[in-house]
């Protein structure tokens, strides 16, 4: 084995590829075939989309686990520990298992160069094979068509919402983005679409490929009713509890997850109790998550694009506080900073911003320069941790602190507070 610690493996992987993102399936598929990972003996659910992917994966995993299935779930990025990306029965795999996976991949790859993300994807598939899971739930990291998880044929593909993010890789229109994300579909197999206004490129691609398209608002739907969800599909109605994840928008995510499982009913039977209990117990960090703070209520959310910021703003509006909303904010350099803060402008009374110590992190002055004119006051700090400390000092008991802008923003503040 090349290394004996997880940190050593990860540090080495970051040095291997000249580009952190190198889209394409040839290299990763070749290594997967050498490892015997390309034809799993269980159903595969692949989830793509701009926002909501992590929530759908969490709901799927929870419902499947309650139903008694052994579940392998792969997500990215992580908040605190790399192990969060690879879970079996909702528990992160340990360092020893990941190191063994990386060693097997390293031995099989020969002279093929893999990116950090490709190593991670193969490690997840290797761990799931070793654990003999009953079902795999795979979150697309970037796009869909050329993402490493697409080396496996999805038995059910889910595309959540579609909006602009990663424009350098996916395009600067919803039509271009949709074309990439819908690439996870397969001929004759279900494609669950959670976007209520899908671009024409998605609809055309589904027709051309011949997947079985199921659209929210058309083939299935959901609505809030007396604090519960009313899920409609195939001429039936089912009352479900509110998901364990907060936010009115989680209703659509829940409907997509339930619809995906309905498509697999013949292979993964599930009763109404498992759906209900699984939805109610779903947990996922940093999705309108409350954090402990003596000064005032604190919520954190990984919203890092304009669409997600609009959803966060709607949730803040739906759950008002008597005092002010104080934002703790930072973002990466490739994000639409102006679009993100504009979506939140009406809800935020005071901004506390700081730089992120990361390869794509923005320095504080650069970040403020991109934010433009806002309704609320802006105070800058060198680091995001300092911005959170300043916001906590400025907060009154009736205020609320809102931490958002990036997984890294939330991770810095969340560290040691949960």
């Amino acid at each position: 084995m090349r290394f004996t610690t997880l940190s050593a493996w990860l540090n080495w992987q970051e040095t291997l590829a000249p580009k952190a993102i190198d889209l394409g399936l040839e290299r990763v598929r070749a290594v997967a075939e050498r490892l015997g990972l390309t034809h799993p003996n269980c159903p595969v659910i692949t989830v793509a989309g701009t926002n909501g992917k992590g929530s759908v994966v969490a709901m799927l995993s929870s419902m499947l686990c309650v139903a008694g299935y052994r579940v392998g779930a792969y997500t990215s990025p992580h908040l605190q520990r790399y192990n969060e990306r690879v879970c079996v029965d909702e528990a992160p795999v340990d360092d020893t298992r990941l190191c063994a996976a990386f060693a097997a991949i390293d031995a099989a790859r020969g002279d093929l160069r893999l990116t950090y993300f490709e190593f991670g994807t193969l490690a997840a598939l290797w761990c799931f094979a070793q654990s003999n899971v009953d079902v795999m739930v795979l979150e697309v990291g970037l796009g869909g068509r050329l993402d490493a998880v697409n080396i496996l044929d999805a038995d059910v593909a889910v595309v959540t919402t579609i909006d602009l993010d990663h424009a350098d890789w996916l395009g600067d229109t919803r039509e271009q983005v949709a074309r990439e994300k819908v690439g996870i579909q397969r001929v004759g197999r279900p494609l669950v679409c959670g976007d209520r206004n899908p671009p024409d490129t998605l609809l055309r691609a589904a027709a051309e490929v011949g997947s079985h398209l199921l659209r929210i608002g058309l083939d299935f739907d959901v609505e809030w009713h007396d604090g519960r969800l009313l899920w409609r599909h195939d001429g039936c109605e089912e009352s479900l509890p509110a998901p364990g994840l907060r936010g009115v928008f989680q209703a659509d995510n829940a409907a997509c997850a339930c619809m995906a499982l309905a498509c697999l009913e013949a292979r993964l039977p599930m009763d109404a109790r498992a759906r209900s209990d699984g939805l109610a117990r779903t947990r996922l960090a940093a999705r309108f998550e409350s954090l402990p703070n003596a000064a005032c209520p604190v919520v954190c959310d990984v919203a890092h694009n304009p669409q997600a910021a609009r959803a966060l703003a709607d949730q803040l509006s739906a759950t008002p506080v008597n005092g002010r909303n104080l934002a703790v904010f930072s973002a990466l350099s490739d994000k639409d900073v102006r679009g993100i803060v504009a979506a939140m402008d009406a809800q935020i009374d005071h901004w506390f911003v700081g730089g992120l110590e990361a390869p794509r992190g923005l320095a504080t002055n650069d970040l403020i320069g991109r934010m433009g004119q806002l309704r609320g006051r802006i105070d800058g700090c060198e680091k995001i941790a300092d911005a959170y400390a300043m916001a906590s000092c400025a907060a009154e008991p009736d205020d609320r602190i809102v931490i958002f802008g990036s997984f890294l923003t939330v991770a810095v503040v969340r560290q040691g507070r949960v």
Side-chain angles (χ1 to χ4, degrees):
M1 184 180 292
R2 187 184 296 268
F3 302 105
T4 58
T5 67
L6 180 58
S7 59
W9 274 108
L10 297 176
N11 290 337
W12 174 71
Q13 289 168 26
E14 290 176 344
T15 70
L16 287 181
K19 295 187 291 185
I21 299 173
D22 191 3
L23 296 178
L25 302 180
E26 294 80 9
R27 300 179 312 276
V28 67
R29 180 181 283 121
V31 180
E33 288 173 347
R34 294 172 190 176
L35 291 167
L37 300 176
T38 52
H39 296 92
N41 297 317
C42 67
V44 175
I45 305 173
T46 303
V47 184
T50 303
N51 294 299
K53 299 188 298 293
S55 296
V56 170
V57 170
M59 292 174 185
L60 287 166
S61 297
S62 183
M63 288 188 285
L64 286 162
C65 283
V66 170
Y69 296 108
R70 190 159 177 78
V71 184
Y74 175 53
T75 59
S76 65
H78 60 276
L79 273 175
Q80 313 294 169
R81 297 175 61 231
Y82 183 91
N83 311 58
E84 298 165 18
R85 297 177 179 228
V86 185
C87 291
V88 174
D89 292 345
E90 301 182 290
V93 300
D94 60 26
D95 287 12
T96 300
R97 179 58 62 91
L98 282 172
C99 287
F102 289 145
I105 296 161
D106 189 28
R109 72 183 180 93
D111 60 356
L112 286 175
R113 186 175 60 237
L114 298 174
T115 67
Y116 179 92
F117 184 79
E118 289 167 343
F119 254 100
T121 302
L122 290 169
L125 301 183
W126 187 91
C127 289
F128 298 157
Q130 294 291 310
S131 298
N132 196 29
V133 298
D134 298 314
V135 55
M136 296 185 195
V137 185
L138 309 178
E139 178 187 352
V140 168
L142 178 62
R145 181 176 63 92
L146 297 177
D147 187 86
V149 303
N150 205 32
I151 60 172
L152 296 190
D153 293 327
D155 293 280
V156 178
V158 180
V159 175
T160 59
T161 59
I162 298 169
D163 208 76
L164 303 184
D165 200 2
H166 304 292
D168 290 345
W169 299 99
L170 305 181
D172 55 9
T173 68
R174 289 183 75 237
E175 288 71 21
Q176 291 174 313
V177 173
R179 189 179 297 113
E180 293 299 318
K181 295 187 182 299
V182 77
I184 63 171
Q185 68 178 329
R186 294 297 189 269
V187 59
R189 297 183 182 181
L191 168 63
V192 178
C193 176
D195 193 300
R196 291 186 175 272
N197 183 31
D200 287 342
T201 48
L202 184 148
L203 304 179
R204 289 199 301 270
E208 291 167 2
V209 169
S211 61
H212 178 40
L213 178 62
L214 297 164
R215 292 173 55 183
I216 194 168
L218 185 62
D219 303 290
F220 68 100
D221 212 343
V222 66
E223 65 181 50
W224 289 98
H225 183 72
D226 293 335
R228 292 175 63 85
L229 300 182
L230 189 61
W231 174 45
R232 298 187 180 93
H233 68 104
D234 299 323
C236 302
E237 291 186 352
E238 184 174 335
S239 178
L240 296 167
L245 305 180
R246 298 166 65 190
V248 294
F249 52 87
Q250 294 292 359
D252 284 5
N253 291 330
C256 287
C258 290
M259 196 68 240
L261 293 178
C263 293
L264 289 173
E265 179 67 24
R267 299 177 68 184
L268 299 170
M270 179 178 297
D271 60 22
R273 180 198 61 82
R275 275 190 295 275
S276 293
D277 292 351
L279 279 180
R281 69 184 281 276
T282 302
R283 299 291 182 269
L284 185 61
R287 273 65 171 185
F288 211 77
E289 178 190 25
S290 295
L291 295 185
N293 185 291
C296 69
V298 176
V299 296
C300 64
D301 195 282
V302 293
H304 58 274
N305 56 57
Q307 184 188 59
R310 290 192 295 271
L312 176 57
D314 289 344
Q315 185 64 16
L316 293 173
S317 177
T319 55
V321 292
N322 292 327
R324 304 167 296 166
N325 282 317
L326 312 179
V328 175
F329 174 74
S330 193
L332 297 176
S333 60
D334 59 342
K335 299 302 177 183
D336 180 5
V337 173
R338 190 173 293 254
I340 294 169
V341 299
M344 290 285 287
D345 186 26
Q347 294 299 321
I348 301 301
D349 302 289
H350 195 156
W351 296 79
F352 298 86
V353 303
L356 287 174
E357 296 179 289
R360 292 179 289 143
L362 282 169
T364 304
N365 289 339
D366 292 336
L367 179 63
I368 293 174
R370 294 191 185 193
M371 292 172 67
Q373 291 295 117
L374 298 172
R375 181 180 66 88
R377 172 181 167 181
I378 302 175
D379 279 325
C381 300
E382 182 179 355
K383 299 178 181 179
I384 196 65
D386 300 329
Y388 177 70
M390 181 181 287
S392 297
C393 289
E396 300 290 339
D398 286 340
D399 294 339
R400 172 171 55 191
I401 297 174
V402 185
I403 307 154
F404 75 102
S406 169
F407 275 80
L408 293 171
T409 306
V410 172
V412 168
V413 178
R414 197 173 179 273
Q415 181 72 44
R417 297 189 178 275
V418 294

